[in-house]
Amino acid sequence: MEIHDRILEAIRLAETTIPDDVFKHIEMAWKNEENNVSKSQLSSILDNVKYARERKLPICQDTGTQTFFIDAGYDFPFKKELVEAIKISVERATNLYYIRPNAVDPFTGKNPGNNIGRFIPYINWYLRDGDDATVYVLPKGGGSENASALGMLKPGEGIKGMKKFVIESIIKAGANPCPPTILGIGIGGGSDLSMNLAKRALLRPLGRRHEEERVARLEEEILELANMTEVGTMGWGGKYSVLDVHIEYAYRHPASFPVGLVVQCWADRRAYIKIDSKGNVEVLQ
Amino acid sequence: MNYNLRIPEDLDKLADLKIGDILYVSGLLFTARDEAHQLMIEMHEKGEKLPFDPSKMVLYHCGPVVKKSDGKWEILAAGPTTSARMDLFEKEVIENFGVRFIVGKGGMGDRTAEALKRAKGIYATYTGGAGALAAKSFREVLNVYYLDELGSPEAIWIIRAENFGPLIVSIDPQGNNWNRISREKMERNKSMIFEKIEKS
């Protein structure tokens, strides 16, 4: 049963404590912000983060859609056990008031109260060589998810079109996704793959650039452009609209230029679990 | 300007507030999200009475994390939800129920701002995501309505707050709307950014 307890522990960790890289980025924004209203909002955010950590309370009442990205080796032996453990742990986390019941029937609006429903919790597998697995826990809030967008651009619009699409989208979203946000951008593939890459891009710690120099430069450029919008913290203006930009890409069809944009709120809650082939489990953040 | 307000006692003082004012609120709040707004409007249309008086409370766009222990509800996290979703219903809720004080996050549209101007009311924002900190000022759950029908995030929670804030006035009773002002600025910035992208 160790795996069940560790997943529950990872959910609780993700919901009550933001990773160090996120905290440092918010703290840096708070130090450097010159707009007084936005600075006061950043100050409340930092107070909230510290209070939630100290009291083990959910950072935000929107404890998100329980989303799990699993990178597993082809020979990882516990695939079925892992899926069962995730479902059981999500239900337990709900019963223990770690998370809000956030899964409703789309037709009736009925909330079963346990965060379990068709395709929910959302589990996304990526298979690779090896016999171990890493499970990323990414509770994804609704307000920021609503700002996500798919652009099926023309290849002739290219990278410039991609930049405009991103800027246009974050201006349209304004204060709604709880800025300063983190942007996950997926370029290429098809409609679904670009969105999947965009969400996966959010798993990377803030401040860590893409391994390819050309992509890393693009991330830095979009971050600079996004912070010229003056959306600011909670829409009150100032220098920090976006904390970081992460891009992933896939090869595209010659006729298509898909751009997926997934917006994450400042409460960029993450944790991850490493499981080896013997069933040893480690919870990390 | 900073204000400490008691609700319902100080509701008439709202008429003097301006966008950018900072508020701390003590007194009564009721939570309402999409489903509760819809339900309230439906009940009004059917001529049914609500079990509480919305005109004497702050309408808070919020779906809290709640815990029941020893028969008593406790609020664990209760930051604001995105108010823009409630633009669909807010004019009707303001007009039919005498709501004058709304709190949420992200700003609201002109339809809501106009209804608030007529009601001499305000819309103020609390820091999005600051759920644990908000809950610290929510001292007591006085009642909950429609919990079984709507589930805990969408139910109407009646809360007694103590020094809930800082809230920042975002729509004032003169009809000034920070949402519109900031959008105009962002649109100008967008043109400048697009020019820069073209030159890159």
Side-chain angles (χ1 to χ4, degrees), chain B:
Chain B
M1 288 282 282
N2 283 33
Y3 296 89
N4 289 299
L5 298 173
R6 296 207 69 82
I7 303 300
E9 295 85 347
D10 292 335
L11 277 168
D12 288 336
K13 293 187 183 164
L14 299 180
D16 303 325
L17 299 178
K18 300 209 161 26
I19 50 173
D21 282 343
I22 295 168
L23 317 176
Y24 288 85
V25 170
S26 299
L28 298 179
L29 276 71
F30 75 99
T31 67
R33 295 171 36 124
D34 315 57
E35 302 261 351
H37 276 75
Q38 262 174 299
L39 184 88
M40 285 170 71
I41 292 168
E42 274 168 29
M43 287 180 69
H44 177 78
E45 282 166 359
K46 287 187 207 151
E48 291 170 18
K49 257 187 90 72
L50 286 174
F52 63 101
D53 184 355
S55 73
K56 300 275 195 290
M57 301 179 193
V58 176
L59 190 178
Y60 185 29
H61 296 151
C62 170
V65 179
V66 287
K67 179 181 181 177
K68 198 172 196 175
S69 42
D70 302 327
K72 269 185 84 101
W73 288 105
E74 186 191 345
I75 295 177
L76 302 180
T81 193
T82 308
S83 300
R85 299 197 313 273
M86 268 52 82
D87 272 324
L88 289 173
F89 320 108
E90 215 66 290
K91 176 177 179 278
E92 287 71 19
V93 166
I94 292 164
E95 289 173 354
N96 297 330
F97 297 100
V99 167
R100 278 191 280 170
F101 191 167
I102 301 170
V103 173
K105 77 166 173 86
M108 298 193 78
D110 285 340
R111 188 170 173 268
T112 302
E114 282 155 23
L116 281 170
K117 188 179 176 182
R118 281 192 294 275
K120 294 193 172 52
I122 64 153
Y123 165 74
T125 58
Y126 184 70
T127 314
L133 203 61
K136 202 176 166 182
S137 53
F138 295 154
R139 296 302 162 83
E140 199 182 351
V141 173
L142 301 174
N143 221 326
V144 56
Y145 299 107
Y146 315 114
L147 180 59
D148 292 339
E149 298 94 314
L150 303 181
S152 72
E154 300 283 343
I156 294 178
W157 297 87
I158 313 282
I159 298 166
R160 188 177 64 78
E162 196 94 22
N163 275 319
F164 173 41
L167 309 171
I168 303 168
V169 177
S170 179
I171 296 174
D172 69 22
Q174 286 73 48
N176 298 308
N177 188 353
W178 174 251
N179 207 32
R180 193 178 55 228
I181 297 166
S182 64
R183 287 221 159 265
E184 284 164 6
K185 185 187 66 183
M186 287 190 283
E187 284 302 320
R188 286 195 299 274
N189 290 341
K190 187 171 92 181
S191 310
M192 181 211 22
I193 296 166
F194 276 22
E195 267 177 46
K196 201 175 151 80
I197 291 170
E198 276 305 324
K199 282 186 200 147
S200 67

Side-chain angles (χ1 to χ4, degrees), chain A residues 124-139:
Chain A
N124 192 273
W125 289 88
Y126 173 74
L127 293 170
R128 51 158 171 81
D129 286 329
D131 58 9
D132 64 322
T134 303
V135 183
Y136 296 92
V137 182
L138 184 80

Side-chain angles (χ1 to χ4, degrees), chain A residues 37 41 44-45 47-48 51-52 57-61 63 97 100-101 109-111 143 160 163-164 167-168 171-176 178 221 224-225 228-231 234-237 266, chain B residues 33 63-68 76-80 82 84 105-106 125 127-133 136 148 152-153 168-170 178 183 185-187 189-190 192-194 196-198 200:
Chain A
V37 183
Q41 297 294 293
S44 291
I45 286 171
D47 287 348
N48 178 65
Y51 182 68
L57 291 168
I59 292 168
C60 177
Q61 74 295 332
T63 53
Y97 307 101
R100 191 175 72 177
K110 190 84 193 156
N111 190 331
K160 280 184 184 177
K163 294 176 194 168
K164 288 183 183 174
I167 296 300
E168 181 100 55
I171 286 181
K172 191 175 156 212
N176 291 338
C178 287
E221 188 191 340
E224 194 191 322
L225 294 172
M228 289 164 69
T229 58
E230 292 185 81
V231 174
M234 296 300 148
W236 290 102
W266 67 257
Chain B
R33 295 171 36 124
V65 179
V66 287
K67 179 181 181 177
K68 198 172 196 175
L76 302 180
T82 308
K105 77 166 173 86
T125 58
T127 314
L133 203 61
K136 202 176 166 182
D148 292 339
S152 72
I168 303 168
V169 177
S170 179
W178 174 251
R183 287 221 159 265
K185 185 187 66 183
M186 287 190 283
E187 284 302 320
N189 290 341
K190 187 171 92 181
M192 181 211 22
I193 296 166
F194 276 22
K196 201 175 151 80
I197 291 170
E198 276 305 324
S200 67

Side-chain angles (χ1 to χ4, degrees), chain A residues 16-89:
Chain A
T16 56
T17 308
I18 55 169
D20 217 31
D21 54 283
V22 182
F23 188 84
K24 286 192 174 127
H25 274 72
I26 298 171
E27 203 173 41
M28 181 271 300
W30 169 72
K31 277 186 189 144
N32 296 328
E33 184 55 84
E34 288 156 10
N35 172 311
N36 282 336
V37 183
S38 282
K39 199 178 173 80
S40 78
Q41 297 294 293
L42 288 162
S43 168
S44 291
I45 286 171
L46 290 171
D47 287 348
N48 178 65
V49 167
K50 289 178 207 157
Y51 182 68
R53 185 167 52 200
E54 190 184 299
R55 302 286 300 270
K56 284 198 172 148
L57 291 168
I59 292 168
C60 177
Q61 74 295 332
D62 182 357
T63 53
T65 292
Q66 296 301 310
T67 306
F68 298 85
F69 286 96
I70 307 175
D71 286 359
Y74 296 115
D75 301 317
F76 175 64
F78 306 113
K79 297 186 198 76
K80 188 173 178 211
E81 289 83 347
L82 184 55
V83 170
E84 283 170 356
I86 286 173
K87 287 184 180 165
I88 289 167
S89 304

